[in-house]
Amino acid sequence: MIAFAAAILSAQLAAEPTPAPAPAPDRPAKPAPSARPSDEAVRKAISATLVESGAAKAGAPQVADTSLRSDELKRFATIVADAKVPHCLHSEGLKRQPTGIGPFGVSGYAALPFVLVAAARGKCNW
């Protein structure tokens, strides 16, 4: 990115500035408009930067290292799905509330009191 900015700056400095016309003696001078690099100077700067970074050989600009990869997206989707608070009466309603007493697990209609406890504790949405 710094090389790109340096290339544009050098292209701007290399471009010949157009001389401003002399102001009429009876009118005050207008401020000069900001200098804008020509399209050709911008093209040269971009191609020089691509050649310098080696992206021109690959045929496309290189992707930054901070981009999200598919494994990171899958991990993020899993984290979001786990963070979602389920409805109490759906299949995952008790995923945050254990339905066992010690080593004994409880399921079916016997787990109904655990659903009420999970709703009271905010472990699921009622």
Side-chain angles (χ1 to χ4, degrees):
M1 201 51 127
I2 294 174
F4 180 69
I8 288 181
L9 183 61
S10 65
Q12 286 179 348
L13 294 177
E16 294 279 330
T18 57
D26 58 339
R27 295 184 198 170
K30 292 183 179 179
S34 62
R36 181 174 174 238
S38 66
D39 292 338
E40 185 62 32
V42 171
R43 281 190 201 103
K44 286 180 182 178
I46 290 173
S47 64
T49 303
L50 290 175
V51 168
E52 184 178 297
S53 68
K57 295 175 187 173
Q62 295 176 350
V63 178
D65 292 336
T66 59
S67 66
L68 292 175
R69 296 182 188 91
S70 76
D71 56 336
E72 292 173 348
L73 289 175
K74 288 177 185 175
R75 192 174 122 232
F76 178 72
T78 304
I79 291 171
V80 170
D82 288 342
K84 183 180 176 187
V85 178
H87 191 274
C88 291
L89 299 178
H90 288 183
S91 63
E92 293 185 346
L94 295 174
K95 75 176 185 181
R96 296 181 176 181
Q97 175 71 37
T99 59
I101 301 173
F104 304 107
V106 180
S107 63
Y109 290 118
L112 194 56
F114 293 99
V115 171
L116 298 175
V117 170
R121 293 178 62 198
K123 300 290 183 174
C124 61
N125 291 328
W126 190 253

